[in-house]
Amino acid sequence: MGGADKGLQPYRGQPLALNALQRLQPQVDACLISANRHLPTYETFGVPVVQDSIAGFAGPLAGMLAAMERCTTPWLLTVPCDVPAFPPDLAARLLHAARSTGADIAIPTVRSGPGGDDARPQPVFCLVQTRLHASLCDWLARGERRVMGWARQQGAQLVPFDQPGDPAAFANINTLEALAALNDQR
């Protein structure tokens, strides 16, 4: 996004991060925002804001670690702000899969491509047991940054999101042009 703070870019009249927050709030008991810039602006959204405890913008896992350190529940669900239409039952479906299999992590997979032949994990959408904090600390201390690498090490359950509309629900916005086009589709 050309250096712009993605979470503060407007989507249908409000910042992308606020859209994600409002979409997630009905699905969980409590929310927080992981951000490393423009903290006073994020604080106006009415939930706690956490910053990475690891220097150098270490990626999504650093934000997950910061959220784990603040989380007061056994499960933490992470969602990115750049997927504005994620499923309204994301939390319930991931929790059901995790509990059914005894997994400590559940990650959605979505089929894409012609005929939907390939199931792609969506690892930034991650339901994780907060007791994995030490494991995540160790992973990051080794310089590792890949969400799926850590998740696989923990025996993550990949959860097919294959209901009608699921592939479109996971479409993400990576450029200001894509965001403008989506805003124009109203």
Side-chain angles (χ1 to χ4, degrees):
M1 294 234 171
D5 188 330
K6 191 181 285 191
L8 298 178
Q9 298 312 300
Y11 169 72
R12 298 186 177 170
Q14 65 183 6
L16 278 167
L18 184 57
N19 172 76
L21 176 65
Q22 290 173 345
R23 203 161 175 86
L24 188 59
Q25 283 176 319
Q27 300 187 47
V28 298
D29 292 334
C31 289
L32 58 80
I33 294 173
S34 171
N36 292 304
R37 302 187 290 169
H38 307 110
L39 303 181
T41 303
Y42 284 110
E43 288 168 353
T44 67
F45 297 172
V47 298
V49 178
V50 298
Q51 274 185 282
D52 293 355
S53 56
I54 297 173
F57 299 101
L61 284 177
M64 184 184 297
L65 180 64
M68 277 185 176
E69 291 166 351
R70 183 76 178 262
C71 187
T72 60
T73 60
W75 291 97
L76 171 72
L77 175 61
T78 62
V79 300
C81 67
D82 64 352
V83 181
F86 62 84
D89 61 350
L90 175 74
R93 289 163 71 183
L94 290 176
L95 185 60
H96 174 75
R99 286 184 171 159
S100 296
T101 62
D104 290 332
I105 299 176
I107 294 174
T109 62
V110 179
R111 296 210 175 272
S112 63
D117 296 339
D118 61 331
R120 292 184 39 144
Q122 305 296 313
V124 184
F125 291 94
C126 185
L127 179 68
V128 58
Q129 286 271 354
T130 55
R131 64 182 171 78
L132 295 179
H133 178 269
S135 169
L136 182 53
C137 283
D138 291 345
W139 182 259
L140 289 165
R142 291 195 310 263
E144 299 287 350
R145 298 294 183 256
R146 291 181 356 117
V147 177
M148 278 309 298
W150 178 69
R152 283 189 180 104
Q153 183 185 64
Q154 303 305 313
Q157 175 66 41
L158 297 180
V159 183
F161 272 63
D162 51 10
Q163 295 177 8
D166 279 347
F170 286 93
N172 71 324
I173 301 167
N174 289 315
T175 65
L176 291 172
E177 294 77 21
L179 180 58
L182 192 59
N183 278 321
D184 289 342
Q185 289 179 4
R186 289 187 201 203

